[in-house]
Amino acid sequence: MLDIHAVARKVRFYLRHKSHQTSRLSRKSLEFACLLIGAAWVALFSLGFALLADLGLEWNAHWTAKHPYLAWLILPFGLTALSWFTAKYTPYVAGSGIPQVIASIALPHGSNKTRLVAFGQTLWKIPLTFFAMLLGASVGREGPSVQVGAAVMLAWGNFCRKHNLAFKGLSSNELMATGAAGGLAAAFNAPLAGVIFAIEELGRGVLLRWERRVLLGVLAAGFILVAIMGNNPYFPHYSGATSVPYMYLWVLCCAAVCGVFGGLFARLLGKGLAAYSPAKWRGWIRRHPLGIAFLLGLGLAALGSYSNGNTYGTGYQVVTELLNDTPLPNEGLGIAKLFATVATYWAGIAGGIFTPALTTGAALGAQIWEITDGVVDQRLLVLLSMAAFLAAATQSPVTASVVVMEMTGSQPVLFWLLVCSLLASLVSRQFCPKPFYHFAAGRFRQRIQQDHDSTQAKTTATP
C-alpha cells in the first residue's frame, strides 16, 4: 500500500533541495555578473584615460613643433603649478600609482588601508597626468591606470557588498589587486600581462588569494577593452628577426647595458634629488620643492630642445619608429629620456614611468645597434632592450617580457625576451637591491602612518 506521508516527505525534501540549488546558482550568476560589471568599469575608465592621454600628447606635439622655445616658459611654470597642486590637494596621487596600490595591499586592515586608493582622490590622477603630458613632462599613463583601476574596482566592490549583491568572500586586497591588474591589462591591451603583473608584482611579499574570481576579473578587463578597441598590439606588430647568429651574445649585451642603466634609473628615482646633492644644499632642496620643480622644468626644456621634442611625453612615437627600422633620431636619446623621466618624477607630479622606461630601453637598443655597426637587425635589439630595461627598472622580469611580447605581437621571441629580462634584473640588483615600486610603496606606508599619528595627536590635544 502506498505510504502517502512518506511520498509527501520525499517531495518536500526534493523541492527544498532544488530550491537551495537554484538559489546557489542564482547567487553565483549574480556574483559573476557583478564581477564582469566591475571589470567593464575598469576597462572603460582605462579607455577614457587613454583617449584623454592621447589628446594631451597630440596637443603637446602640436605646440612644441610650432613654438619649440615656448617650452622654456611653459615647462618650468607648469611643472611648478602641478607640483604645488599635487602636494596641497592630492598628495596620494603623486608618481606612478603602482606603489600606492602595493602599499595599500600591505597595510593592515583598518580605516587607513584604502586611503591611498580612495575613489574621489584617485580620479584626480587622470586630469593631472593629462596636464603633465600636455606640458611635455616625461610620463606614461599605465602606472596611473593601475591605481585608477584599483580605486574603481574597490569602490564597486564596496557598493556591491553594502547592498548584499556580491563579493562577500573577497577582501579589499583581492578587489584592489583585481582592479589594479585589470587596469594594466586594459592600458596595454594585454590581458595575459595583467595576470602576470598581479602575481609577480602585486603579490610579492604579500599573501593574496589568487582564486578564480580575481584572475577572471583581470582577464575580463583586458578582453572587454579588446572587444571594444579590437585585438591590436599597443605598438606596431613586430616584423624583425626572431633569431640571429650568436643570439646569446646579443642577449647578454642588451641585458648588461640595460641592466646597468635600468638599475641606476631605479636608484635615482628611489633616492631623490637631495641624496645626490652636496650636503649643504640638501636642507634647501627639501624646504623648497616648488623652486626645485621650476629648475627641473628648465632641465626638461633643455632635454626637449636637444632631442627635438623626443623626450616629451611617453615616447610612443619614438618606439614605433625604431620598431619600424627607422634610425635613432638623436645620439644619446636613451640617456636623455632616462634623465627626463627622473627629473619629472623628482618634481612630485602625477605620472607613470612604464612607457618612458620602454622608450629608454628602445633607444638604448638602437644605440647598441649603431655602436656595433648594424651587424644584426636593429628591431631585434630594440625589442630585447625594451624588455631588459623595464625588467631592470622594476625587477619584474616575467611581467616585462610578457608585456613587451603582447604589446608588439612578438611571440616567437618570448624565450629570448624572458632570458634577457632575467639577466638584466640580476644586473640591476647590484645597483638597486630593492625593487623600485616596493621601495616607493614603503614611503607611502610611512606617510600614511605619519598622517594617522598626526591626526590622532590633534584629536588628543583638542579639549
Side-chain angles (χ1 to χ4, degrees):
M1 184 177 179
L2 185 63
D3 189 342
I4 300 298
H5 295 291
V7 172
R9 283 197 300 271
K10 288 181 180 180
V11 170
R12 285 196 299 270
F13 175 78
Y14 176 78
L15 292 175
R16 280 199 303 268
H17 178 65
K18 283 298 179 184
S19 176
H20 180 65
Q21 282 186 327
T22 304
S23 175
R24 282 185 59 192
L25 183 61
S26 176
R27 192 73 188 170
K28 285 184 177 181
S29 300
L30 179 60
E31 177 129 345
F32 184 66
C34 288
L35 181 67
L36 290 181
I37 292 171
W41 279 120
V42 171
L44 290 173
F45 270 89
S46 293
L47 176 59
F49 195 177
L51 295 175
L52 190 62
D54 289 344
L55 188 63
L57 293 172
E58 182 183 333
W59 287 353
N60 172 261
H62 176 74
W63 75 257
T64 53
K66 196 170 183 179
H67 307 288
Y69 294 106
L70 269 181
W72 291 91
L73 182 66
I74 290 177
L75 265 169
F77 286 103
L79 211 63
T80 302
L82 284 179
S83 179
W84 169 79
F85 184 91
T86 303
K88 186 172 180 63
Y89 296 107
T90 59
Y92 300 144
V93 304
S96 165
I98 294 175
Q100 288 92 318
V101 176
I102 293 172
S104 296
I105 290 174
L107 282 169
H109 289 278
S111 59
N112 291 312
K113 183 169 181 62
T114 59
R115 284 180 68 183
L116 292 170
V117 290
F119 184 72
Q121 181 173 223
T122 301
L123 284 190
W124 277 104
K125 196 93 174 183
I126 297 175
L128 289 176
T129 303
F130 163 77
F131 283 117
M133 290 179 171
L134 179 61
L135 295 174
S138 181
V139 295
R141 61 172 171 82
E142 288 73 27
S145 295
V146 169
Q147 187 180 6
V148 171
V152 169
M153 183 61 85
L154 181 64
W156 172 247
N158 288 338
F159 174 85
C160 290
R161 289 192 293 198
K162 181 180 177 181
H163 293 86
N164 199 30
L165 294 173
F167 306 135
K168 287 293 184 181
L170 283 181
S171 68
S172 296
N173 277 358
E174 280 127 22
L175 287 169
M176 287 187 287
T178 303
L184 184 82
F188 280 129
N189 205 7
L192 180 58
V195 173
I196 301 298
F197 169 78
I199 296 171
E200 184 180 32
E201 191 65 68
L202 299 182
R204 183 183 298 178
V206 179
L207 182 62
L208 280 173
R209 292 183 305 159
W210 298 114
E211 61 173 79
R212 189 166 56 98
R213 286 177 294 179
V214 174
L215 300 181
L216 280 175
V218 176
L219 290 171
F223 284 123
I224 287 171
L225 197 69
V226 168
I228 296 172
M229 300 298 293
N231 188 19
N232 303 309
Y234 184 86
F235 291 117
H237 197 283
Y238 178 71
S239 57
T242 57
S243 182
V244 295
Y246 304 106
M247 183 73 166
Y248 61 93
L249 290 179
W250 294 107
V251 168
L252 284 172
C253 179
C254 292
V257 172
C258 293
V260 170
F261 283 107
L264 292 173
F265 175 69
R267 189 177 181 86
L268 288 169
L269 291 176
K271 292 290 185 180
L273 178 60
Y276 297 99
S277 304
K280 60 182 180 180
W281 294 359
R282 291 174 187 171
W284 187 90
I285 289 172
R286 293 189 178 103
R287 291 192 304 271
H288 299 86
L290 298 185
I292 294 302
F294 186 89
L295 295 175
L296 291 170
L298 289 175
L300 287 176
L303 290 168
S305 296
Y306 164 75
S307 66
N308 297 318
N310 286 316
T311 56
Y312 297 145
T314 61
Y316 174 87
Q317 191 61 36
V318 172
V319 179
T320 299
E321 291 174 358
L322 293 176
L323 285 172
N324 283 327
D325 216 18
T326 304
L328 191 66
N330 305 94
E331 287 292 326
L333 177 58
I335 306 301
K337 185 63 176 175
L338 185 155
F339 282 111
T341 308
V342 169
T344 300
Y345 188 85
W346 281 352
I349 66 173
I353 66 164
F354 227 97
T355 311
L358 291 171
T359 304
T360 303
L364 288 174
Q367 194 75 63
I368 294 171
W369 178 80
E370 287 192 351
I371 292 172
T372 56
D373 205 23
V375 295
V376 297
D377 192 342
Q378 171 186 288
R379 293 166 292 183
L380 178 62
L381 298 184
V382 167
L383 190 75
L384 291 171
S385 297
M386 286 170 65
F389 188 86
L390 182 60
T394 62
Q395 292 184 22
S396 300
V398 181
T399 299
S401 53
V402 173
V403 160
V404 171
M405 179 270 290
E406 282 199 281
M407 290 173 71
T408 58
S410 54
Q411 288 83 353
V413 197
L414 178 59
F415 172 75
W416 294 112
L417 290 174
L418 183 57
V419 172
C420 197
S421 297
L422 286 167
L423 293 173
S425 184
L426 289 173
V427 173
S428 169
R429 286 176 194 168
Q430 312 313 309
F431 300 89
C432 186
K434 188 168 185 178
F436 163 67
Y437 284 140
H438 290 263
F439 181 83
R443 288 187 170 175
F444 275 108
R445 287 197 302 270
Q446 185 180 13
R447 181 165 189 171
I448 285 290
Q449 188 60 50
Q450 289 173 347
D451 291 348
H452 177 69
D453 293 343
S454 176
T455 303
Q456 280 195 327
K458 289 178 181 177
T459 304
T460 305
T462 304

